[in-house]
Amino acid sequence: MTAAQQTRAYPGDAPAPGARDGGPATGGTLDDADLVTGFLAGDEVCVQAVHHRWGPLVYTLARRSLGDAREAEDVTQVVFLAAWRGRAGFVPGRGTLPGWLVGIARRKIADALSARTRRTELVAAAGARLLTAADEAVRPEASIDRVMLAEEMERLPEAQRRVLNLAFYDDLTQVQIAELTGWPLGTVKSHARRGLRRLACRLDEYDAVACAA
């Protein structure tokens, strides 16, 4: 089992499904010490149990910090992917596993908030670009520009469209997108760069046609 296969649904602030049922998948019969030992060793049951036992804690922290359930689910998934991949960096003598997970969560939440700020700046820049023509306050083409941009997003190759949607609408950084999709970071950057270049070219073509009309 991989971390990406773990449950990611956390309705409200409620525990993840099965978090208290004591079944094998939740590690209900394991104490924390055994759970940590198994987690560090990559034991399948323990890895899943860590997610079930402390996923609600991470999700609640993310939701209260971000104020968005969907974004909190994404951050929770990113946290446990990071924990799975970086589990060798956890030293039991320096702290508890939930404390370590909370530390990762705080960093990922900070990343998400930074991405939200960057997204706002990108949207503002894109909006400014679309409104640089003369008579921008009255020109009917402004609404056409927005429709055209949405249409061009739909025409992008699936991978490029997914990366840009995750960046613009889900406020994810490229590192988070790589962790969420399982793609190499270089691949994510390439898809983002090519997608943005294609959108820019299409907007330039539209501007040229509009000016010639």
Side-chain angles (χ1 to χ4, degrees):
M1 178 186 130
T2 66
Q5 293 172 307
Q6 295 168 351
T7 303
R8 58 173 295 174
Y10 301 94
D13 289 341
R20 295 179 180 172
D21 63 12
T26 68
T29 61
L30 296 174
D31 61 27
D32 286 358
D34 290 337
L35 199 55
V36 168
T37 299
F39 174 74
L40 291 176
D43 179 83
E44 185 173 316
V45 172
C46 290
V47 170
Q48 187 174 7
V50 165
H51 185 272
H52 277 277
R53 187 170 296 186
W54 290 301
L57 170 67
V58 172
Y59 171 79
T60 299
L61 178 63
R63 173 139 189 205
R64 289 175 180 174
S65 298
L66 300 170
D68 183 270
R70 180 178 177 183
E71 190 173 10
E73 290 176 9
D74 288 338
V75 167
T76 300
Q77 182 75 351
V78 168
V79 167
F80 280 94
L81 283 170
W84 162 253
R85 292 171 179 171
R87 64 190 184 280
F90 172 63
V91 180
R94 296 180 182 174
T96 65
L97 182 56
W100 183 67
L101 292 170
V102 167
I104 296 175
R106 292 190 186 282
R107 291 193 294 273
K108 299 305 180 183
I109 289 168
D111 288 344
L113 291 172
S114 296
R116 183 182 291 177
T117 299
R118 288 195 296 274
R119 176 195 168 193
T120 300
E121 292 171 349
L122 285 171
V123 170
R129 182 188 183 282
L130 292 174
L131 296 175
T132 53
D135 300 324
E136 59 189 23
V138 296
R139 68 187 185 101
E141 292 87 347
S143 59
I144 298 176
D145 287 340
R146 290 190 292 271
V147 172
M148 189 198 70
L149 182 60
E151 290 177 348
E152 291 304 326
M153 281 285 288
E154 289 300 318
R155 292 176 183 173
L156 290 176
E158 181 179 355
Q160 295 175 15
R161 183 171 65 252
R162 185 180 183 191
V163 167
L164 293 183
N165 279 333
L166 287 171
F168 293 153
Y169 303 119
D170 290 344
D171 300 326
L172 297 185
T173 65
Q174 290 182 340
V175 172
Q176 290 173 323
I177 293 172
E179 291 176 340
L180 190 63
T181 61
W183 295 338
L185 181 58
T187 299
V188 171
K189 290 182 177 180
S190 178
H191 286 323
R193 183 172 59 253
R194 291 176 182 174
L196 288 171
R197 184 183 300 125
R198 179 171 296 195
L199 286 176
C201 288
R202 291 294 296 167
L203 288 173
D204 287 342
E205 289 174 6
Y206 174 77
D207 288 345
V209 171
C211 290

